[in-house]
Amino acid sequence: MLEAPSTPLMRQYQSIKQQVPQALLFFRLGDFYELFFEDAVLAARELEITLTARNKEKGQPIPMCGVPYHSSEGYIARLIQKGYRVAICEQMEAPGPGKKLVNREITRIVTPGTATSNNLLTGHQHNFLGALHQNALAFLDLSTGTFRATLLPPSVGKEELAAQIESLNIRELLLAEKQPALPALHTVLESWVFDFDYAARLLREHFRIQSFDGLFPHSQSALAGACGALLHYLRETQKASLAHLELPVFFERNDAMVLDAVTIRNLELLEPIFSSDLGGTRQSTLISVLDESSTSMGARLLRQWLLRPLLDPAAIGARHNAVAELYTLTIPRTQLRDTLASLGDMERLLSKVTMATAGPRELHALARSLAQVPKLQQHLALTQATLLGGLHSQLDPEAELTHRILHTLSAEPPANLADGGVIQDGVHPELDQLRDIQRNSKQYLAQIEIRERDRTGIASLKVRFNNVFGYYIEISKANLHLVPADYDRKQTLVNAERFITPELKDLETKILEAEERILALERELFEALRQAAAARAPQIRSTAQAIATLDVLLALAEVAVRRRYTRPGFSSSADGAPGEYKIVNGRHPVVERLVEEEAARFVPNDLYLDHEKYLAIITGPNMGGKSTYLRQAALFSILAQTGSFVPAESATLPLVDRVFTRIGAADHVARGRSTFMVEMTETALILNTATARSLIILDEIGRGTSTYDGLALAWAVVEFIHQRIGAKTLFATHYHELTALEETLPGVRNLHVAVKESGEQIIFLRKVLPGAAERSFGIEVARLAALPAVVIERAKQILALHERSEDRIAHQSSPDGAHGPLQISLFEPVNGNLAERIRQLKLDELRPIEALQILADLQKELN
Ligand code: ADP
């Protein structure tokens, strides 16, 4: 740290900087925000702006850089996006001529989790600030007021926690102590902030509640601690009213279908698995198909719904009823969506209103949006579905307030109050009068000019204005002898002199005062209006939420119409046994669209799983359509329980408590973990937590280790799911040997993706049919991928050799054939060894004579 030279300004800087050691301090100096010392070095690098120095001449240079006040928002946004915190320090008084040092104070602290400015937010996403206390996780979006709290399972690992935080879009996490495994930005607070007594007091005061019984059914101390820390932090950083925050809404993880972070990613619900530089695109996500919302409020809510599909059949049915009705109401649906599309982001506008940062244009936008509410009500009044009826009564157009705002603010108000012209004419008599003076001033001045020219006989006499002297009469040197006695000289120029008259002075005072007074009056009227709106925050918030819900239901109906979806049914048997999948001609919602975009046809497939046959093993060549078929089943359950229709001719589904996925190698390699370890950790989670009501999707297991290890593990996993869990399971595998399980395990059914062979070529039919695939077609697929012909031929020879020897081994070692040859060959160590040795041969490096020798050795061993 550089030693600070002791100027008063630098001492002031140091004392303010001490208050915010974790933030970059933007220190207001005139028209600039300046940064000093380490802050300057860092900001200059991150913002690519010039680093200069203050105090150079005195030999103790202080690194410094600055950004202009008027364009600071963009710079601040860039720093926040990079995960920094920024403290804004303003001049609290106008710098006067006599004053040495103006008073400065920190007015707000911007952090990733508390961002509210438009250039930091994405419309369709929440921006959450989280707090973790014991096993309670609370998170809130300052820009919308959304406030949630939940409890994490006691067993939750750091990895899963980190992944949850990421998928919830928590940008910053408040903690009592550092936890290195979490990716989100941490802000470490002193631990007393999380104390129940302190937190409880804050929450009671802020929300004016007596007890927490209605909020948190249990674990009150942990939950209140986390919620209280959030409130504490916002008060510290925002210095604004937080009246728009809703009461924290508690939810249990198990109230909804549980989707762990791995599954959310594997199924590409919101984000593509591969980042865009690895070829992933948003087009591959479920949300890209589903998001037909017309407002940002709806877009955000849809994402929340999708991450927490429902479990209660009545609640799901209510959503389906609403979607079904909107589906049939073609014209009202279009009109409703058009109306919604004209609305602003009312939640975010409202939070700016209550935090007193909304400008005239934003308040006007909020009122214009509210003014559309009666139109929505008209349409909803004609609907039958209970959910839609509920929305109808939840909507409140706030007629009085809206009328007042729209009849007070001018029709196209400026973004900033200081620009003037905010309030309409005819609202306030004094304002009108003042404006009259202002507007007529030009005319008065022109009149004075004409009259004085007449009076003095000086044709070149001019009435003018400048900032230093105000209004004056200018007379050229040649005419000075004609100047009347009542002119008062003010300034002498080379060729002219400037004068003032009492009349002009009077007018000047009136004009300047009028200007100032107009701005003051406009501010007063505007602030009263903004406060009136803020006072209705809870009602407006509730209306905005109803609009968001309506938007989501309309979006789901629109998708159903456009993409030919049907309403799913749910099967439940009287004895409470898990229901069944009976999907006729189902399609994968995302792949279907991608395939159609390439003018190809998506091949629909059926799926039947019930409590007798609940575990399907799917074999067939790579690229045959196995993964697509698997994910399709999972997406059906998620869509249906979210309230959406599904892409199928008809679909009956079980109510699923949780969807588990174990898929491919994904991008873990990039994260620096062994794929096999990841695979096994994910598999362990599934085997330890799945229930008979879960859906398990396994896309290859055991690929990350040697073939025999892998096959043995896969085999044992299937047995375990079959015997101990009984979950509906779809397992795609390249271990052809697993298909033998159909014989021994009654719940197992073999399926395969069909291909047509024509000569040496194969054609993918993408049809899923009963029974096991004949073989794996790996070599044919390799041919499609344009592997050199020599390699393909050689591979075929090796395969033939391998198959012959395995066959023989199998027959020799299973004289009775009771368990089928494959099982035996699998677990017989000698053969395993042999086959593995053949696999490991580096054929490219062998000379023919060596190969022959090895072959001879192998044969000897077998005989
Ligand atoms: P696998 O898991 O068997 O290797 P995928 O499920 O990844 O195969 O499918 C490979 C490709 O085939 C997909 O990217 C998709 O373009 C296409 N595809 C899959 N299923 C179908 C289908 N039912 N109809 C049309 N094309 C499909």
Side-chain angles (χ1 to χ4, degrees):
M1 170 95 192
L2 287 154
E3 198 56 33
S6 240
T7 62
L9 184 75
M10 277 295 129
R11 277 200 298 276
Q12 184 185 45
Y13 173 84
Q14 298 285 16
S15 86
I16 292 176
K17 174 67 197 176
Q18 266 171 25
Q19 301 165 22
V20 285
Q22 297 192 27
L24 296 169
L25 182 61
F26 273 47
F27 191 73
R28 183 76 180 267
L29 274 180
D31 284 341
F32 278 78
Y33 287 116
E34 302 287 2
L35 294 100
F36 298 108
F37 301 107
E38 286 97 335
D39 285 4
V41 176
L42 198 151
R45 187 183 70 223
E46 296 288 6
L47 297 173
E48 294 166 10
I49 54 177
T50 319
L51 185 67
T52 59
R54 191 182 172 88
N55 238 32
K56 259 189 256 172
E57 24 343 300
K58 292 181 197 149
Q60 257 185 331
I62 300 171
M64 165 176 125
C65 67
V67 300
Y69 156 76
H70 60 86
S71 60
S72 59
E73 282 301 323
Y75 290 107
I76 296 172
R78 271 162 64 194
L79 289 170
I80 301 300
Q81 265 151 4
K82 290 174 183 239
Y84 296 103
R85 306 172 181 83
V86 173
I88 311 287
C89 171
E90 294 290 358
Q91 299 176 169
M92 303 310 282
E93 52 193 355
K99 261 195 206 103
K100 286 242 173 60
L101 189 65
V102 299
N103 179 22
R104 289 187 173 80
E105 276 177 25
I106 292 175
T107 51
R108 72 194 157 111
I109 301 172
V110 191
T111 70
T114 58
T116 52
S117 94
N118 289 348
N119 39 21
L120 277 172
L121 300 171
T122 348
H124 62 261
Q125 265 176 356
H126 276 295
N127 192 80
F128 283 122
L129 171 72
L132 188 64
H133 180 50
Q134 294 158 11
N135 65 330
L137 176 68
F139 47 103
L140 77 73
D141 182 344
L142 181 64
S143 71
T144 64
T146 310
F147 198 169
R148 300 275 180 278
T150 190
L151 293 166
L152 301 165
S155 60
V156 72
K158 286 261 164 76
E159 295 264 334
E160 168 68 5
L161 177 62
Q164 281 289 337
I165 284 170
E166 200 179 313
S167 66
L168 282 169
N169 226 24
I170 293 180
R171 295 289 321 278
E172 179 181 1
L173 189 66
L174 308 180
L175 295 167
E177 60 193 83
K178 253 202 155 51
Q179 297 203 12
L182 298 174
L185 179 75
H186 306 184
T187 300
V188 177
L189 301 179
E190 289 177 55
S191 58
W192 60 263
V193 171
F194 295 85
D195 277 355
F196 178 71
D197 288 342
Y198 174 69
R201 187 160 55 79
L202 276 189
L203 292 168
R204 281 200 196 101
E205 261 173 37
H206 185 85
F207 292 109
R208 296 193 197 89
I209 47 173
Q210 295 298 318
S211 110
F212 297 117
D213 294 346
L215 281 189
F216 312 130
H218 51 87
S219 311
Q220 287 184 354
S221 130
L223 288 162
C227 293
L230 289 175
L231 208 53
H232 166 87
Y233 186 67
L234 290 181
R235 285 195 172 185
E236 292 288 300
T237 55
Q238 298 305 308
K239 331 226 172 215
S241 154
L242 301 169
H244 66 293
L245 298 185
E246 66 174 348
L247 265 168
V249 178
F250 172 75
F251 68 90
E252 300 257 20
R253 196 168 141 90
N254 296 336
D255 286 348
M257 181 197 283
V258 178
L259 298 171
D260 52 78
V262 172
T263 295
I264 292 169
R265 193 170 52 224
N266 278 339
L267 294 176
E268 301 188 285
L269 297 185
L270 302 182
E271 298 291 330
I273 286 191
F274 294 109
S275 56
S276 49
D277 43 318
L278 285 173
T281 73
R282 304 249 162 250
Q283 299 301 306
S284 65
T285 60
L286 181 64
I287 194 74
S288 71
V289 174
L290 221 50
D291 191 359
E292 286 292 341
S293 63
S294 313
T295 70
S296 298
M297 300 173 274
R300 289 192 296 268
L301 185 64
L302 178 58
R303 280 162 179 77
Q304 303 289 306
W305 279 21
L306 206 53
L307 293 181
R308 292 178 52 74
L310 303 175
L311 293 179
D312 172 18
I316 299 171
R319 287 188 186 173
H320 284 159
N321 284 340
V323 173
E325 188 170 7
L326 295 170
Y327 182 107
T328 54
L329 296 175
T330 307
I331 294 171
R333 187 178 69 243
T334 315
Q335 289 171 344
L336 279 166
R337 295 182 77 234
D338 285 349
T339 307
L340 289 182
S342 73
L343 303 182
D345 189 339
M346 296 164 68
E347 286 174 321
R348 287 197 167 148
L349 291 170
L350 179 66
S351 66
K352 288 190 177 171
V353 165
T354 55
M355 292 199 293
T357 55
R361 196 173 287 166
E362 287 163 322
L363 183 60
H364 196 256
L366 180 62
R368 262 184 301 140
S369 301
L370 283 167
Q372 297 295 316
V373 168
K375 260 199 229 168
L376 301 176
Q377 286 176 311
Q378 266 168 28
H379 285 297
L380 286 178
L382 305 173
T383 57
Q384 311 288 317
T386 325
L387 194 51
L388 297 176
L391 295 179
H392 179 261
S393 45
Q394 194 182 334
L395 288 173
D396 181 345
E398 291 290 329
E400 206 180 309
L401 173 72
T402 307
H403 184 270
R404 192 177 148 200
I405 296 174
L406 293 180
H407 287 82
T408 307
L409 294 183
S410 47
E412 283 177 25
N416 296 312
L417 252 179
D419 295 341
V422 170
I423 307 290
Q424 286 178 22
D425 285 340
V427 168
H428 195 276
E430 189 190 345
L431 185 63
D432 291 348
Q433 256 173 23
L434 291 164
R435 281 188 174 152
D436 199 40
I437 294 174
Q438 204 182 28
R439 278 183 206 130
N440 294 330
S441 63
K442 273 217 176 98
Q443 221 175 319
Y444 290 145
L445 289 167
Q447 279 168 11
I448 293 177
E449 196 175 72
I450 294 169
R451 203 190 56 216
E452 292 301 308
R453 279 180 189 169
D454 272 3
R455 179 158 84 101
T456 59
I458 307 172
S460 64
L461 177 149
K462 286 181 255 177
V463 175
R464 290 289 181 271
F465 174 84
N466 79 25
N467 280 324
V468 183
F469 293 106
Y471 289 93
Y472 54 83
I473 297 173
E474 189 172 294
I475 304 210
S476 61
K477 283 259 157 80
N479 292 313
L480 281 179
H481 61 285
L482 297 173
V483 168
D486 58 338
Y487 277 29
D488 196 1
R489 181 171 19 217
K490 271 186 108 179
Q491 194 190 10
T492 306
L493 304 178
V494 186
N495 294 320
E497 299 224 339
R498 290 173 175 175
F499 299 88
I500 183 103
T501 64
E503 187 195 16
L504 200 54
K505 185 81 211 155
D506 221 41
L507 185 63
E508 174 191 291
T509 319
K510 262 200 195 134
I511 292 171
L512 295 183
E513 273 176 7
E515 245 171 52
E516 236 169 73
R517 180 81 187 120
I518 285 171
L519 282 182
L521 260 182
E522 284 204 323
R523 171 176 303 272
E524 207 174 284
L525 292 169
F526 175 73
E527 275 171 5
L529 211 53
R530 193 167 61 188
Q531 270 164 25
R536 304 292 298 165
Q539 293 80 1
I540 298 175
R541 208 189 131 67
S542 159
T543 294
Q545 282 173 331
I547 289 174
T549 311
L550 176 62
D551 193 15
V552 172
L553 294 168
L554 282 163
L556 294 178
E558 185 70 21
V559 174
V561 172
R562 284 200 201 170
R563 310 214 58 96
R564 308 171 324 274
Y565 288 9
T566 46
R567 178 177 182 157
F570 287 92
S571 57
S572 55
S573 48
D575 58 2
E580 57 183 4
Y581 279 97
K582 206 195 265 170
I583 299 173
V584 178
N585 281 329
R587 287 125 44 204
H588 187 296
V590 185
V591 177
E592 168 183 44
R593 191 189 56 185
L594 296 176
V595 166
E596 280 171 7
E597 273 167 14
E598 310 212 317
R601 201 176 76 85
F602 187 90
V603 182
N605 274 304
D606 298 347
L607 173 66
Y608 301 101
L609 290 177
D610 55 26
H611 56 279
E612 283 174 12
K613 290 277 181 199
Y614 49 86
L615 201 157
I617 292 178
I618 302 148
T619 44
N622 261 332
M623 286 301 285
K626 299 185 298 296
S627 307
T628 307
Y629 183 69
L630 254 55
R631 290 168 203 231
Q632 185 174 311
L635 294 180
F636 264 60
S637 280
I638 293 170
L639 280 173
Q641 288 179 233
T642 296
S644 171
F645 284 11
V646 291
E649 206 171 286
S650 70
T652 305
L653 307 170
L655 268 178
V656 167
D657 63 356
R658 187 162 178 169
V659 172
F660 292 93
T661 56
R662 152 91 275 285
I663 289 178
D667 54 345
H668 288 298
V669 187
R671 295 174 180 229
R673 288 182 55 191
S674 131
T675 27
F676 183 63
M677 188 62 200
V678 172
E679 195 183 318
M680 286 302 117
T681 315
E682 288 178 12
T683 310
L685 173 81
I686 300 176
L687 300 186
N688 291 327
T689 31
T691 74
R693 292 170 191 285
S694 306
L695 172 66
I696 304 178
I697 299 295
L698 301 170
D699 196 352
E700 306 284 14
I701 279 207
R703 286 212 112 162
T705 181
S706 78
T707 311
Y708 279 86
D709 277 4
L711 175 50
L713 279 167
W715 190 289
V717 165
V718 172
E719 283 181 351
F720 187 87
I721 295 174
H722 183 272
Q723 257 107 349
R724 304 282 188 81
I725 304 179
K728 303 274 187 307
T729 305
L730 292 164
F731 185 179
T733 181
H734 68 295
Y735 293 126
H736 207 262
E737 293 85 342
L738 289 182
T739 55
L741 284 167
E742 192 182 41
E743 307 276 311
T744 47
L745 304 178
V748 171
R749 150 179 291 153
N750 282 332
L751 298 174
H752 71 284
V753 287
V755 290
K756 201 164 89 187
E757 283 181 86
S758 99
E760 296 218 312
Q761 299 288 341
I762 54 167
I763 299 163
F764 298 116
L765 300 177
R766 263 83 198 226
K767 201 75 198 162
V768 177
L769 299 175
E774 282 169 42
R775 53 198 181 82
S776 75
F777 298 94
I779 293 178
E780 285 79 356
V781 175
R783 183 200 304 282
L784 287 183
L787 234 63
V790 195
V791 177
I792 304 244
E793 276 318 304
R794 182 69 186 131
K796 278 186 166 175
Q797 287 168 11
I798 297 167
L799 180 68
L801 182 71
H802 176 72
E803 278 172 353
R804 267 204 307 279
S805 66
E806 275 215 343
D807 256 14
R808 208 164 51 228
I809 299 160
H811 286 295
Q812 282 172 359
S813 5
S814 67
D816 61 344
H819 293 85
L822 289 165
Q823 275 187 67
I824 307 267
S825 80
L826 172 60
F827 293 111
E828 182 30 281
V830 175
N831 308 329
N833 194 2
L834 195 61
E836 195 51 39
R837 274 163 54 202
I838 297 176
R839 276 196 191 90
Q840 307 258 323
L841 287 179
K842 296 213 163 49
L843 295 172
D844 303 352
E845 296 168 24
L846 290 181
R847 281 180 297 143
I849 183 76
E850 290 170 335
L852 256 184
Q853 184 58 48
I854 292 171
L855 201 56
D857 288 347
L858 292 174
Q859 198 174 49
K860 213 188 294 161
E861 272 184 56
L862 282 173
N863 293 333

